[in-house]
Amino acid sequence: MSGSTTPIPPPTVTVWAVARRPWRFLRSWWPWRCWAYLGSGFPLGYAVLVALVLLVGLGVVLAVAGVGLLLLLGAVAGAVPLAELERRRLRWVEPAPVADPHTSLAGAGAAAWLRTRLRERATWREFGYAALLGPVFGAAGLGVLALLAFSLILVVSPVVVWALAPEPVMLIPGRAVAGPLEALGGTAAGLAGLVLAAYAGALIAGAQVKTARLLLGPREEDGRVLELTRSRVRLVEAFEAERRRIERDLHDGAQQQLVALSMTLGLAELRLRGVPEAAEATALVGRGRAEAKLALEQLRDLVRGIHPQVLTDHGLAAAVAEVALRHPVPVTVDLAGLPRLPGPVETTAYFTVTEALANAAKHSGASQVGVAGRVEGDRLTLTITDDGRGGADPGAGAGLAGLADRVAMLQGRLTVSSPVGGPTELRVEVPCSG
């Protein structure tokens, strides 16, 4: 028996759903919201149209000189903030927000921002929306506003006729209105025009909502990428849970057995010391006890490396301070006031710092390392700097690349600045919210 899947229906356009109930629609604020939306979109659309014509036209003409390319890039890049404005303005006629399809680039420089945005399909869809805004939606909005203005004039035509009397007033070209009572027909036509303007505004506003969802929102493939990212986060959380289970097993099992073995060997050594002919056995027992002690110390270091208890109990600042005390190079830690963060964020930040400190001790030849961190908004920013020889290459080994992959799983960023001769700066940005 073959299975089938039911397609997911597209989201409802709210203004169209309300307009299906005429009495409720006409008595509500929805017609006014549509008129305000189209009225604000008309000047904005034509301003964007003029800017696009100038930038693209001059860009094509000046392309030979090289300046034209910058103008063309400016036209495309300008569609990104315009799209953000349109997603906000859309809330006037659509309560359900349209999500931002772009990846977060907080803290990125202008060049990195531009390179990333030009590679994203969403940017080019937004550029297409910008091209449609003026000639299509701006023109349609102007038509609705003209109909609205003419209908309002007709509604108040008896008052106009009365105010201008005895001057003749023509509602129909070539035919003067005799008086206010005769102008009541214009009022009826004006009321019908207002109803027509209300529905025309709802129709065009709803069409713009549909277009904005198509061009300004995330596509289905963007949803798959988001789900993949969430799956990676779940994988990281499962991996951390497994690490902690191993830590508990080592702490409560093998470590305690080594402690018991060391104590047993110590007692055996004490008893053998009283037997003169057991000198060789006493030496062997003492050596076994020393090896058990060394194995216990190594196991404790391993457990601490898997997941330090101080990180769980006291947070990132205390855990980094403990690592700094044991580090062979002097480390300055500035994490004062850092709050407790979600577990995956603290774990990722901790192991990023420890890896960076290990690299500084092994490869940089640094005499001083600094670790600083702060939380701004919903993002944790960490900076690890050293005064070593520099020249760190993220592509030369798996260390920095692995850290970058781990940070990326939480939708964060890792940047490395390490010119030859130093200094080296490693910067990590991780969102603190899911």
Side-chain angles (χ1 to χ4, degrees):
M1 180 177 179
S2 60
S4 61
T5 59
T6 302
I8 299 175
T12 304
V13 177
T14 305
V15 65
W16 287 353
V18 176
R20 292 192 182 99
R21 305 172 69 177
W23 183 244
R24 177 183 174 187
F25 171 68
L26 294 173
R27 289 190 307 151
S28 69
W29 285 100
W30 277 102
W32 298 94
R33 292 167 68 173
C34 293
W35 293 334
Y37 177 69
L38 297 176
S40 63
F42 160 65
L44 175 63
Y46 277 95
V48 171
L49 179 62
V50 171
L52 286 179
V53 169
L54 290 176
L55 288 174
V56 174
L58 290 175
V60 173
V61 172
L62 300 176
V64 179
V67 181
L69 180 60
L70 295 178
L71 295 176
L72 293 174
L73 291 178
V76 177
V80 176
L82 173 65
E84 178 60 29
L85 173 62
E86 281 296 288
R87 281 188 288 268
R88 294 177 182 273
R89 206 171 63 86
L90 204 67
R91 300 298 297 275
W92 292 8
V93 291
E94 180 52 57
V98 176
D100 188 347
H102 294 289
T103 56
S104 175
L105 292 176
W113 183 91
L114 183 60
R115 283 196 305 270
T116 304
R117 290 295 179 252
L118 290 178
R119 292 193 188 105
E120 293 177 328
R121 295 180 181 178
T123 301
W124 297 94
R125 296 198 301 265
E126 290 169 346
F127 181 71
Y129 181 89
L132 292 174
L133 188 59
V136 177
F137 295 111
L142 177 60
V144 173
L145 293 179
L147 175 61
L148 174 63
F150 183 65
S151 300
L152 289 174
I153 293 173
L154 288 178
V155 168
V156 298
S157 58
V159 178
V160 174
V161 171
W162 172 79
L164 295 180
E167 295 292 330
V169 176
M170 290 184 293
L171 299 180
I172 300 176
R175 180 181 176 183
V177 179
L181 290 178
E182 188 176 346
L184 289 176
T187 299
L191 292 174
L194 288 178
V195 173
L196 180 61
Y199 272 91
L203 177 65
I204 296 171
Q208 196 161 353
V209 169
K210 296 281 285 185
T211 306
R213 284 176 177 170
L214 179 66
L215 298 180
L216 304 185
R219 292 285 183 91
E220 183 182 354
E221 58 267 24
D222 300 329
R224 286 198 294 267
V225 171
L226 179 60
E227 178 58 30
L228 177 60
T229 303
R230 289 175 177 167
S231 298
R232 287 176 176 173
V233 173
R234 288 193 292 267
L235 182 62
V236 171
E237 292 175 349
F239 178 64
E240 292 304 327
E242 183 66 14
R243 285 167 63 102
R244 296 193 184 192
R245 186 191 65 78
I246 295 173
E247 175 208 0
R248 288 194 301 269
D249 291 346
L250 290 176
H251 184 275
D252 299 335
Q255 189 169 319
Q256 298 301 323
Q257 290 174 2
L258 281 174
V259 170
L261 175 61
S262 181
M263 293 177 62
T264 302
L265 290 174
L267 292 174
E269 185 181 6
L270 287 176
R271 292 199 176 184
L272 288 174
R273 283 179 183 174
V275 182
E277 60 273 14
E280 184 176 353
T282 303
L284 290 174
V285 171
R287 193 165 123 196
R289 184 186 177 196
E291 291 178 354
K293 184 178 180 181
L294 178 61
L296 181 60
E297 292 176 356
Q298 292 176 346
L299 183 59
R300 283 172 176 167
D301 290 339
L302 176 63
V303 170
R304 189 182 296 113
I306 290 176
H307 193 93
Q309 190 63 35
V310 65
L311 180 63
T312 302
D313 295 341
H314 302 289
L316 180 62
V320 172
E322 183 183 77
V323 173
L325 290 175
R326 304 195 311 268
H327 200 261
V329 178
V331 180
T332 303
V333 179
D334 181 13
L335 300 175
L338 204 65
R340 291 306 304 265
L341 303 170
V345 175
E346 285 193 333
T347 302
T348 297
Y350 172 79
F351 284 106
T352 301
V353 172
T354 55
E355 179 70 19
L357 292 179
N359 289 340
K362 293 177 183 177
H363 309 298
S364 71
S367 61
Q368 182 69 36
V369 182
V371 180
R374 65 187 184 279
V375 174
E376 293 182 348
D378 65 342
R379 297 184 73 85
L380 167 67
T381 302
L382 283 174
T383 306
I384 303 100
T385 57
D386 67 66
D387 58 357
R389 64 178 68 95
D393 182 7
L400 290 176
L403 287 179
D405 291 341
R406 184 181 188 120
V407 171
M409 287 182 183
L410 298 182
Q411 300 183 19
R413 298 175 64 245
L414 183 143
T415 56
V416 180
S417 172
S418 184
V420 176
T424 295
E425 178 182 287
L426 188 147
R427 180 183 176 90
V428 180
E429 296 178 14
V430 183
C432 299
S433 58

